[in-house]
Amino acid sequence: MRKKQLTIAVTGLNNIDSPGPGIPVIRSLIASKEFSFRIIGLSYDSMEPGIYMHDLIEKTYHIPLPSAGQQSLLKRLEYIHSVEKIDVIIPNFDAELFNFIKLQSKLLEMGIHTFLPTLKQFEERHKSELAEYGIKYGIKVPKSKLIYSVAEIPNLGFEFGYPLVVKGKFYDASVAYSPEQAISIFHKISGKWGLPIIIQQFTPGTEVNLTGIGDGKGHLIGAVPMRKTYITDKGKAWAGVTIDDQQLLDIAKHMVKKTKWRGGFELEMIRTDDDEYYLIEINPRFPAWVYLAVGAGQNHPEALVKMALGEKVISSEKYKTGRMFVRYSYDMIIDLKEFEMISTLGEL
Amino acid sequence: MNVKKNLALSDTGFVFNPSTGDSYSVNPIGLEILRMLKDKTSEAEIKKYLLLNYQVDSETIEKDYYDFVKGLEQHKLTENNA
């Protein structure tokens, strides 16, 4: 049987040491037995390696940074769509999701489908809102507090004890073992990501993660739990293994049912020695290790495309445990001409 | 004491705990003991087997078996410890 052909545009092509999910999402799509995907890359920077991976991506277009606003993104997408006739866009960065969520009805009018969380779902799981989220949906979250000045740090020891975790509003987190360290981390993170800074109780245990997808009606369409087995100095998984963790799956099912989560997501949790689970973060998109789910028997990006196109997808609970991923770095040799093209024309 | 039901044992002595993602290596005797424990062989029978098949005295078996089982418990490879 001939596979159905679809054109999918994907962001997050920064397959670097802190990788974006774009390339793993594309590899998942290419693994589809049902569809034949033509992939269009959407990039922000000429150094995103995915731009030059011509075996995976047919053509890449620069798009404006999220800070440029929705209108300039829409204008650029209108042009790209006029050339490429995009069926589905899969955005893979937290920072760009707001614009894509706001534009989704306009994109649909153009014939471009998406399958994104609602604005409410996206906003209420922000790191700064997580404590409230935990109370609302009955998920344990470590105690946390927002601070706006280093003057608040000396008193934190009484409230949280040391060590404690200092986190940025969007990215970055470090463990501080003393007020001096907390002050230094505060300056480092706030300088990069702004205020407020989130102070979180340190929860000892093992970090476990789950990649999943919800249908927007309360059903968990697929979920695969993973434990990182090798972590980089940036805290990113360089290797991981699928695990049999029913409690984590139950939490994901509960979260999706209660929030009616729509689209891909990642749960980052700490499992304590007493088998208590604490939510550290919800990422509102697929993680960079989503291709492991394909290796374990579930293709979440393919399911997302089907749901974006209004097709019915049946929930899948089966996956193989003990499937591992190990990342590697690879030097591509590219002609300067290619760099010139994407840098000057914004297309390659 | 029972070892976890879903513990994966391979002939090479590689042990994988699917609940945590942890993996271990055991020597051939450790593998034999783990397999017997998975098959619900009693402690007395395991010790008897070791005494019959290896050149070792019962006192050493007592000590080594205790150490091995404590190691399993510490690594959370057991369930229903009562």
Side-chain angles (χ1 to χ4, degrees):
Chain A
M1 196 177 75
R2 202 161 162 228
K3 289 181 182 179
K4 191 176 172 185
Q5 297 246 337
L6 291 170
T7 299
I8 314 291
V10 178
T11 70
L13 309 182
N14 56 329
N15 208 38
I16 53 170
D17 60 340
S18 176
I23 297 302
V25 164
I26 292 167
R27 291 185 67 205
S28 304
L29 294 175
I30 288 170
S32 170
K33 291 187 176 81
E34 227 173 299
F35 299 97
S36 172
F37 292 111
R38 181 173 158 265
I39 307 295
I40 300 300
L42 303 175
S43 59
Y44 293 101
D45 188 291
S46 300
M47 282 285 106
E48 291 180 30
I51 297 168
Y52 307 99
M53 295 181 178
H54 304 305
D55 53 334
L56 298 176
I57 301 172
E58 192 170 300
K59 186 160 181 182
T60 299
Y61 294 83
H62 272 340
I63 55 172
L65 285 166
S67 54
Q70 293 153 37
Q71 284 317 307
S72 56
L73 175 63
L74 184 65
K75 208 174 157 193
R76 182 66 173 150
L77 291 176
E78 277 170 351
Y79 165 70
I80 298 168
H81 185 55
S82 71
V83 182
E84 304 295 348
K85 306 284 178 279
I86 298 163
D87 293 302
V88 178
I89 291 185
I90 307 179
N92 289 300
F93 283 124
D94 298 15
E96 68 189 1
L97 275 177
F98 179 83
N99 285 345
F100 277 101
I101 291 169
K102 285 283 191 184
L103 288 176
Q104 60 186 324
S105 51
K106 282 186 181 152
L107 293 175
L108 190 60
E109 281 170 23
M110 288 158 56
I112 302 175
H113 300 79
T114 54
F115 200 75
L116 303 168
T118 64
L119 196 56
K120 178 177 172 269
Q121 289 167 349
F122 176 70
E123 297 281 4
E124 70 180 358
R125 52 88 249 165
H126 274 310
K127 276 188 199 178
S128 54
E129 312 293 324
L130 210 56
E132 209 171 301
Y133 191 88
I135 295 165
K136 189 173 172 188
Y137 296 114
I139 301 170
K140 285 180 188 158
V141 174
K143 184 179 162 188
S144 65
K145 184 181 183 176
L146 303 184
I147 63 167
Y148 293 84
S149 155
V150 286
E152 296 177 73
I153 288 177
N155 289 325
L156 293 175
F158 302 111
E159 209 177 331
F160 290 85
Y162 281 93
L164 47 79
V165 186
V166 184
K167 298 175 114 176
K169 194 179 173 186
F170 295 113
Y171 298 103
D172 273 355
S174 286
V175 178
Y177 292 87
S178 65
E180 292 74 25
Q181 275 188 355
I183 290 169
S184 161
I185 298 166
F186 178 102
H187 286 307
K188 195 177 145 203
I189 298 179
S190 63
K192 206 169 170 187
W193 303 111
L195 294 170
I197 288 291
I198 301 148
I199 301 297
Q200 197 174 65
Q201 187 179 29
F202 179 75
T203 311
T206 305
E207 184 183 333
V208 284
N209 304 290
L210 178 142
T211 180
I213 179 164
D215 70 353
K217 294 169 190 160
H219 304 112
L220 183 65
I221 293 301
V224 175
M226 178 277 290
R227 207 198 91 193
K228 296 174 185 176
T229 52
Y230 190 97
I231 300 170
T232 68
D233 54 3
K234 285 192 175 173
K236 302 295 168 188
W238 198 257
V241 61
T242 56
I243 55 172
D244 174 14
D245 194 327
Q246 194 52 51
Q247 281 196 70
L248 181 54
L249 287 164
D250 288 344
I251 291 167
K253 214 177 268 184
H254 172 82
M255 188 280 281
V256 167
K257 189 180 172 187
K258 289 280 177 188
T259 64
K260 295 190 167 44
W261 186 270
R262 192 169 186 271
F265 67 91
E266 181 192 23
L267 294 184
E268 294 183 6
M269 304 201 77
I270 297 288
R271 180 173 62 202
T272 67
D273 287 345
D274 304 323
D275 281 340
E276 301 268 356
Y277 287 71
Y278 287 88
L279 179 65
I280 302 299
E281 200 171 332
I282 300 177
N283 288 316
R285 34 106 194 134
F286 292 127
W289 57 273
V290 70
Y291 187 63
L292 178 66
V294 176
Q298 293 186 13
N299 194 331
H300 297 171
E302 182 194 45
L304 183 138
V305 167
K306 288 172 89 169
M307 290 194 289
L309 294 171
E311 292 186 22
K312 200 176 173 198
V313 179
I314 299 159
S315 296
S316 169
E317 292 195 0
K318 279 187 188 170
Y319 66 92
K320 288 179 198 156
T321 56
R323 297 291 277 177
M324 291 183 71
F325 77 90
V326 182
R327 289 206 175 118
Y328 68 105
S329 57
Y330 184 90
D331 300 345
M332 290 184 292
I333 305 301
I334 57 162
D335 199 284
L336 188 64
K337 193 77 188 160
E338 294 200 349
F339 179 68
E340 179 195 323
M341 294 274 282
I342 189 75
S343 303
T344 55
L345 304 177
E347 295 181 21
L348 181 67
Chain B
M1 197 279 305
N2 296 319
V3 291
K4 286 175 81 82
K5 281 190 205 83
N6 61 355
L7 206 63
L9 308 177
S10 84
D11 293 343
T12 58
F14 185 80
V15 180
F16 176 65
N17 181 357
S19 306
T20 62
D22 288 321
S23 55
Y24 311 86
S25 283
V26 291
N27 66 18
I29 303 173
L31 183 62
E32 278 189 291
I33 297 171
L34 270 176
R35 284 200 163 131
M36 286 189 273
L37 286 169
K38 263 198 109 176
D39 292 341
K40 310 260 188 235
T41 311
S42 72
E43 184 180 327
E45 280 178 279
I46 294 172
K47 286 176 180 168
K48 194 176 160 190
Y49 169 85
L50 295 172
L51 201 57
L52 281 170
N53 289 279
Y54 294 97
Q55 287 184 328
V56 64
D57 59 79
S58 58
E59 207 171 288
T60 306
I61 287 179
E62 279 297 330
K63 182 184 159 298
D64 288 356
Y65 183 83
Y66 177 83
D67 284 348
F68 186 70
V69 165
K70 279 289 153 202
L72 296 179
E73 285 173 7
Q74 274 171 9
H75 288 103
K76 295 191 164 190
L77 300 176
T78 60
E79 52 195 6
N80 305 325
N81 288 332

